[in-house]
Amino acid sequence: MRSSPIRDVKDRQREDSAAMAAGASITRVYEPIGQELLQVQENVRSAVRAEDPAVDEIVGRVFRAPGKLLRPALTIFAGRAAMTDKTAPTPNALIQLATAVELIHNASLVHDDILDGASFRREIPTLNTPHNTHVAVLAGDVIFTQAFFLMTRHLKPDTIEPLTRVTAGMCHAEIMNEVHGNRRMDFATYLQIIKLKTAALMS
């Protein structure tokens, strides 16, 4: 049975209202670290900026529609909670760590879109839509590399090591997912994939 156009409009209106409410809620949550998140976004733009206009446009497109910034926000909140002097300014190393986390997350999304054949993300075309997959893969690699550059420049080795392990785990999970393909996988394998692919970076 075909759906009613009126019902479709009402459904979209409800979805839009829910999205706006969620956006307003998360904005309130982010208020205590608003300036830090603005700095993270500026750092991200600076990190992916390229001298060649074509490369700059392609890589920069990934961040044209910013996401929810959930991972860098959690990074900053956790770092602030661990500080003994709650009134002290947020250390630059913590901002750089949050920036690296956001870069790693977005690089993984670029590669996810290629593997999934996705055409849109955050309501704009994915890199693999206007360009071929070779260009999209390389753009994702550029973003990964910039994340590691920031880490080696600003962070201590004991901070870098767990992040590199997490990043490798995300890649391992994608390979596992591709190997299993449409075949039925056991529950333990499923849990391992979602742990490596998503949960590890969040933790």
Side-chain angles (χ1 to χ4, degrees):
M1 184 174 70
R2 296 180 63 182
S3 60
S4 163
I6 295 175
R7 185 180 302 125
D8 288 344
V9 169
K10 288 183 176 178
D11 287 344
R12 284 197 297 272
Q13 287 174 340
R14 279 194 293 270
E15 290 170 3
D16 290 343
S17 296
M20 289 175 64
S25 297
I26 204 165
T27 300
R28 287 196 297 272
V29 171
Y30 287 173
E31 280 179 2
I33 58 167
Q35 291 303 312
E36 287 91 338
L37 288 179
L38 286 175
Q39 186 60 56
V40 167
Q41 289 178 296
E42 180 56 37
N43 288 352
V44 165
R45 287 191 290 267
S46 178
V48 300
R49 197 168 289 131
E51 292 183 9
D52 183 85
V55 175
D56 189 59
E57 192 281 328
I58 290 169
V59 180
R61 171 192 280 271
V62 176
F63 302 94
R64 192 169 297 169
K68 295 184 291 295
L69 300 174
L70 180 59
R71 288 157 188 81
L74 288 173
T75 302
I76 295 168
F77 274 130
R80 292 289 307 174
M83 290 173 61
T84 53
D85 184 358
K86 305 302 181 185
T87 63
T90 301
N92 180 59
L94 181 55
I95 302 295
Q96 297 296 343
L97 173 59
T99 303
V101 168
E102 180 67 358
L103 288 168
I104 289 170
H105 172 58
N106 279 274
S108 74
L109 295 183
V110 173
H111 288 171
D112 278 353
D113 290 338
I114 298 166
L115 294 171
D116 297 341
S119 300
F120 287 88
R121 181 177 290 279
R122 299 168 185 165
E123 299 184 353
I124 65 171
T126 55
L127 278 186
N128 46 297
T129 301
H131 305 285
N132 59 44
T133 55
H134 298 88
V135 170
V137 166
L138 291 170
D141 291 345
V142 166
I143 299 170
F144 268 129
T145 305
Q146 288 304 111
F148 294 126
F149 172 75
L150 283 182
M151 288 192 287
T152 56
R153 187 176 184 184
H154 298 284
L155 305 180
K156 296 179 180 179
D158 60 349
T159 305
I160 297 172
E161 182 180 350
L163 265 179
T164 55
R165 287 182 181 277
V166 164
T167 306
M170 292 165 70
C171 297
H172 292 169
E174 285 291 4
I175 294 172
M176 292 168 65
N177 203 42
E178 286 295 305
V179 168
H180 283 276
N182 294 323
R183 291 185 292 125
R184 185 178 180 86
M185 68 178 73
D186 61 83
F187 191 54
T189 302
Y190 170 74
L191 289 179
Q192 180 69 358
I193 288 174
I194 62 174
K195 173 186 175 182
L196 293 173
K197 186 176 177 180
T198 305
L201 183 59
M202 296 290 286
S203 66

